[in-house]
Amino acid sequence: MSIVGYQSTLRQNPIDGGNTANSQREIALSPAYINPLMLHSPGRNIIAVLNENIVIGKDIRIRSRNARKEIAGWQISLPAPINKNQQGEHTGTLLSRQGKPFYYAIDDDGRVFVSGFFDDPEDEIIFNINPYVAELPLKFRPFLDREAPTPAERRALRRANANRNEVK
């Protein structure tokens, strides 16, 4: 389901006859919600939330940290959509600054999966996602703790500890 627009004028609240004002707030995405393998501009990763639960990507940009050409998989986390759908209803196409297409899908937890190819290591994806209605309260799914060891580092530590125990 895509939302094409929203009502920008005051509307009558049928319960008490009063007016309800529309609202907009901006939320800066924490680095915990961006894939650690991607570079981002901390001052730019902003989403707009209208009326507390309509999510719009305002200025989110990421690029490859290690100059890899292809990206695929979970890249950022946004608020979880209210409409749960196994068919990938929240999908679309993103463009990079150089006009390269990247395809995205938002899952039930708000994880944004992106796939596509970079031609230039300095190119970045601009997340102009289709607006959607999010669950309240807004929920984000974080990536692993950035200070914690990576899975490969944890395996190496376990092997080193196992080798030390065998030697004793």
Side-chain angles (χ1 to χ4, degrees), residues 46-64:
I46 298 170
I47 60 171
V49 179
L50 306 176
N51 295 338
E52 297 305 314
N53 70 338
I54 298 174
V55 177
I56 299 173
K58 188 166 182 179
D59 193 8
I60 304 170
R61 298 178 188 204
I62 63 172
R63 65 185 169 111
S64 178

Side-chain angles (χ1 to χ4, degrees), residues 64-147:
S64 178
R65 181 179 296 277
N66 56 8
R68 60 189 169 144
K69 295 268 187 195
E70 179 182 12
I71 65 163
W74 179 20
Q75 303 303 325
I76 65 171
S77 290
L78 294 175
I82 195 169
N83 189 10
K84 308 298 183 196
N85 187 343
Q86 297 293 331
Q87 284 76 37
E89 189 169 342
H90 305 287
T91 61
T93 304
L94 306 169
L95 293 176
S96 72
R97 283 187 312 142
Q98 295 182 355
K100 297 293 291 180
F102 289 81
Y103 305 100
Y104 78 92
I106 303 172
D107 76 0
D108 291 350
D109 289 330
R111 296 180 303 171
V112 182
F113 292 84
V114 179
S115 63
F117 294 89
F118 287 111
D119 283 341
D120 179 352
E122 296 300 312
D123 198 8
E124 58 189 3
I125 304 168
I126 301 170
F127 280 82
N128 288 328
I129 60 164
N130 293 324
Y132 66 93
V133 179
E135 282 182 23
L136 286 175
L138 297 180
K139 295 185 247 181
F140 293 82
R141 184 168 178 181
F143 284 83
L144 294 174
D145 181 0
R146 290 175 179 271
E147 301 303 317

